[in-house]
Amino acid sequence: MAGNGRGRRGDPTVLRLAAFSALLIGLVLVSLRLLPGSPLATAAAARWGDSSTAGRATGQPADRSSRPAPSPTPSLEPLPFQNRQIDLDLKGWYAWSVLDTRTGKFIGSQNMAETSTTASLIKSWIVADYLRTTAEDGKTPSDAKLADATLIIRDSDNTRTQQFYNNLGQTASIKRMISICETTDSSPAADKGWSRTNLSPRDTARLGACIKDGRAAGPKWTRWLLNEMRLVRGTGDFGIRKAFPAAERKTIAIKNGWVDRTREQEIHVNCLAIADDWTMGVMVRYPIGLGYEYGMKNCQKITEAALGDDV
């Protein structure tokens, strides 16, 4: 009898019946979980909507308040200039503009869109245009040409400027400046000369930004050009950067222009400066009898007033 009992428990038919019964019970339980109104279905749904399980299911915080807050955007260091109108007792006309190259915003005089003739200030563009177009042609300027460009920027050499200007197509070069630097107030000279190119202080600041960000001279030569503009010397070293402490001056790239206009009986003096976060244009016109130094000092004086310094 004992042997028969062990044989029945190991009977394959009995085992199959037991397995089939377990499977059938499992299917019934699953059906009850899916059947609307079933207590099992209601309990499962309740657990599915439980906020304590939502985070574990998705790997995300259960609500917005528990998520890490985004890092705040760092505020920009303010520029040293004051956004205000300045009123100086100067003879003639003057205007100024500062461009924040981080934001693209301008501050300046109400007349910063009015134009004047650039004189030597435009040489910064002429050299930039030469360097960029030469690189675009797959060529490298010769040592002699780079030496010429140095004399144009540092010492404002007129003869070499005219040679560059002629080779660049004269007013075609100025039209490229208007297009590439997106100036809005500028125009080539009616007599096709580089000295009478028309710029506003606002467009002068735009030209500075164009040189600074590489559009003017191209990626290969921008650093070279900015370094040359920091090394302006002699008569041409005046104006905007003189309003800053000596240690800071050497970091500011400049190109200035000055000319006596006998036709108009005026002297035109203009200043361009390029710093890390800003560019600036200052332009003055006044009676010819006052001499160059009057305008050169006034470029600095206007900058000091824009900085908020006592003048």
Side-chain angles (χ1 to χ4, degrees), residues 114-179:
E114 294 182 20
T115 63
S116 191
T117 65
T118 62
S120 293
L121 184 150
I122 200 64
K123 293 172 182 175
S124 59
W125 166 258
I126 292 171
V127 170
D129 196 29
Y130 165 73
L131 294 169
R132 191 195 68 262
T133 55
T134 301
E136 288 173 350
D137 289 340
K139 300 175 183 177
T140 299
S142 65
D143 290 343
K145 282 294 185 184
L146 286 177
D148 286 345
T150 289
L151 291 173
I152 291 171
I153 296 298
R154 295 192 197 183
D155 299 320
S156 215
D157 187 285
N158 287 334
T159 301
R160 289 173 172 83
T161 300
Q162 190 65 49
Q163 292 169 352
F164 274 46
Y165 188 64
N166 291 341
N167 292 334
L168 290 166
Q170 297 184 342
T171 58
S173 177
I174 305 305
K175 290 176 181 177
R176 284 193 292 273
M177 179 197 71
I178 294 170
S179 174

Side-chain angles (χ1 to χ4, degrees), residues 153-156 229-243 249-250 252-258 271 296 300:
I153 296 298
R154 295 192 197 183
D155 299 320
S156 215
M229 293 174 70
R230 293 186 186 103
L231 297 174
V232 168
R233 58 199 174 191
T235 308
D237 184 11
F238 64 87
I240 295 170
R241 74 177 175 188
K242 294 290 188 179
R249 291 176 198 169
K250 62 183 66 175
I252 299 174
I254 64 168
K255 191 71 190 92
N256 299 319
W258 62 100
C271 299
M296 292 173 176
Q300 178 178 341

